Amino acid sequence: MSSTDERAPEPTTTYEQAREELADVVRRLEAGGLTLEESLTLWERGEELARLCQHWLDRARERLAAAAPADDAREG
């Protein structure tokens, strides 16, 4: 089953919120001083946030692609 067959509900976190939290996760990991468990937990959260950001970017691309044929028709 592909992601276009059945869409999951939209996440409640916005792209901007996910991106900001991801940046914070990266800062904390780069700063160091964390235990292995803390680092792994942050890494996993970062992976989740990266997937969420990718979701929003993919949705934006889909919307742009859907709008493109209408724009092309007006030019002709």
Side-chain angles (χ1 to χ4, degrees):
M1 159 174 54
S2 75
S3 62
T4 56
D5 294 339
E6 290 184 28
R7 289 204 182 266
E10 288 293 341
T12 56
T13 302
T14 67
Y15 171 79
E16 292 78 8
Q17 290 168 329
R19 185 190 64 212
E20 183 59 35
E21 186 179 346
L22 180 56
D24 183 55
V25 166
V26 170
R27 282 190 292 272
R28 291 175 63 193
L29 286 169
E30 287 177 343
L34 302 168
T35 66
L36 177 59
E37 187 59 36
E38 290 168 332
S39 295
L40 287 172
T41 299
L42 276 176
W43 182 271
E44 290 168 343
R45 180 61 179 155
E47 289 289 328
E48 182 181 324
L49 291 164
R51 281 191 297 276
L52 185 54
C53 287
Q54 189 61 55
H55 163 82
W56 285 119
L57 292 172
D58 290 344
R59 291 278 290 132
R61 284 188 192 99
E62 289 172 8
R63 290 177 64 189
L64 288 172
D71 291 343
D72 291 343
R74 280 186 258 155
E75 291 176 11

